[in-house]
């Protein structure tokens, strides 16, 4: 997995900016899993990476954010971001039910589109315990639509004369992966890029409460060793760690070098974890999902872009 993770990072370094090592990692894992029969002794290590290493990476993700980023938006901006996330998250799940898409897959797609793409999908997968194929499909959809946004959104903005901070705000609220946000907003100049980054990171902050709410609603009752019913914790431990990391960044306890190191470790951890998830993907089972999830992904893309556009007109 380490070799595949390094390979994914190298590919991204020499490839187009729309690529993320997380996405390449999933693809690399899936290719290996469907071309080579891995020995069963690898399974405990794969499971460890797909869960424990993933959650460590998500905790480190919190060090990208600070409460100052939230304050820069103001109350109106925060309200718009929260509104876009809520409309996209709930609206996508409603569409999933109407289209007959599996509940878990619909939840993963809703999370990826409303928050931050592959990272958010991986975080929610740890709560709902979805199949590897469903996780891979959801990541593929946010990658496809996020890549399309790099071409489509600047074209629409040009047609309606949306420029500067307004364009950046729309991009930050509408595009999924951080790398895709940078690539899209970069077409509008430095002012657009700065606005898009703040809005995007604010969406990432909402990952923790969103996962916590879903975990609370879905936590099952199980029978303990003494035949007594018990429930898992109200909030997953990695969500608490994520919030602590945000507070550490906000307090300025880490210097630039430490933050750079943490960012590098985060990328490595998440890439290794996504490789592990990819190793659980089987193409023959992926085919059974049919075209409905693709239709859902495209509809959700229109939904988040539309909600973000309306929100931008309010905030800017």
């Amino acid at each position: 997995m380490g070799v595949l993770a390094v390979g994914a990072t190298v590919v991204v370094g020499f490839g187009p900016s729309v690529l993320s090592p997380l996405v390449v990692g999933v693809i690399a894992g899936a290719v290996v899993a469907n071309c080579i029969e891995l020995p069963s002794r690898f399974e405990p290590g794969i499971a460890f990476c797909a869960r424990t290493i993933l959650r460590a990476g998500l905790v480190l993700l919190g060090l990208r954010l600070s409460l100052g980023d939230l304050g820069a938006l103001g109350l109106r901006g925060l309200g718009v971001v929260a509104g876009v996330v809520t409309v996209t998250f709930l609206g996508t799940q409603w569409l999933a039910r109407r289209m007959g898409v599996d509940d878990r897959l619909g939840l993963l797609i809703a999370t990826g589109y409303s928050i931050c793409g592959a990272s958010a999908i991986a975080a929610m997968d740890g709560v709902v315990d979805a199949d590897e194929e469903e996780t891979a499909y959801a990541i593929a959809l946010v990658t496809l639509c996020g890549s399309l946004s790099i071409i489509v959104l600047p074209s629409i903005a040009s047609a309606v004369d949306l420029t500067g901070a307004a364009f950046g705000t729309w991009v930050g609220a509408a595009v999924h992966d951080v790398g895709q946000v940078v690539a899209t907003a970069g077409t509008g100049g430095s002012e657009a890029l700065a606005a898009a980054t703040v809005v995007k990171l604010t969406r990432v902050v909402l990952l923790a409460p969103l996962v916590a709410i879903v975990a609370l609603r879905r936590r099952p009752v199980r029978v303990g060793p003494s035949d007594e019913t018990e429930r898992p914790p109200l909030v997953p431990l990695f969500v608490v760690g994520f919030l602590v990391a945000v507070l550490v960044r906000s307090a300025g306890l880490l210097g630039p070098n430490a933050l750079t190191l943490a960012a590098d470790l985060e990328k490595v951890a998440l890439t290794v974890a996504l490789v592990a998830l990819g190793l659980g993907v089987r193409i023959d089972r992926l085919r059974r999902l049919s075209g409905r999830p693709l239709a859902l992904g495209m509809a959700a893309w229109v939904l988040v872009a539309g909600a973000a556009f309306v929100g931008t007109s309010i905030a800017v």
Side-chain angles (χ1 to χ4, degrees):
M1 282 176 289
V3 173
L4 292 176
V6 171
T9 304
V10 171
V11 167
V12 171
F14 290 97
S17 59
V18 300
L19 289 177
S20 161
L22 307 185
V23 175
V24 176
V26 170
I27 296 172
V31 169
V32 170
N34 287 274
C35 295
I36 302 172
E37 186 174 352
L38 296 175
S40 58
R41 67 176 182 273
F42 288 173
E43 292 179 2
I46 293 173
F48 176 80
C49 290
R51 296 187 66 82
T52 305
I53 298 298
L54 168 65
R55 294 179 177 189
L58 291 170
V59 170
L60 290 172
L61 180 63
L63 291 175
R64 290 195 191 189
L65 318 168
S66 72
L67 298 178
D69 295 329
L70 303 181
L73 275 182
L75 291 178
R76 177 179 292 185
L78 290 172
V80 167
V81 172
V84 171
V85 169
T86 301
V87 168
T88 305
F89 183 70
L90 297 180
T92 300
Q93 291 183 82
W94 179 83
L95 289 170
R97 290 191 294 270
R98 295 297 298 268
M99 294 181 177
V101 175
D102 180 80
D103 175 63
R104 291 178 305 183
L105 179 56
L107 177 60
L108 292 178
I109 293 173
T111 305
Y113 277 71
S114 60
I115 303 291
C116 57
S119 301
I121 291 170
M124 190 60 77
D125 176 55
V127 173
V128 302
D129 196 24
D131 295 337
E132 291 87 349
E133 289 79 14
E134 293 173 327
T135 303
Y137 204 113
I139 291 174
L141 287 175
V142 296
T143 302
L144 170 63
C145 291
S147 300
L148 289 175
S149 294
I150 299 173
I151 300 172
V152 175
L153 265 60
S155 300
I156 295 175
S158 178
V160 299
D161 196 26
L162 191 67
T163 60
F167 173 60
T169 300
W170 182 38
V171 170
V175 183
H176 322 310
D177 185 79
V178 174
Q180 296 164 344
V181 168
V182 171
T184 308
T187 64
S190 58
E191 185 180 6
L193 182 58
T197 302
V198 171
V199 172
K200 179 59 188 175
L201 292 180
T202 304
R203 284 171 67 195
V204 175
V205 170
L206 296 180
L207 173 64
L210 186 65
V211 171
I213 291 171
V214 173
L216 176 62
R217 293 190 60 186
R218 287 175 169 257
R219 62 185 188 133
V221 177
R222 58 189 179 215
V223 179
S226 59
D227 293 331
E228 296 180 356
T229 58
E230 57 183 26
R231 291 180 182 269
L234 284 175
V235 180
L237 186 60
F238 76 91
V239 173
V240 176
F242 178 93
L243 294 175
V244 170
V246 173
L247 294 177
V248 169
R249 173 65 183 270
S250 302
L253 299 179
L254 298 178
N257 292 337
L259 290 174
T260 299
L261 176 61
D264 292 338
L265 291 175
E266 170 218 318
K267 291 178 183 178
V268 171
L270 290 179
T271 303
V272 168
L274 268 293
V275 168
L277 288 175
L279 288 171
V281 174
R282 295 295 181 272
I283 299 300
D284 56 339
R285 286 186 287 180
L286 193 60
R287 291 194 188 114
R288 300 174 193 170
L289 292 174
S290 75
R292 291 180 181 178
L294 176 60
L296 173 62
M298 299 305 292
W301 179 43
V302 174
L303 174 63
V304 67
F309 190 86
V310 173
T312 298
S313 66
I314 296 172
V316 179

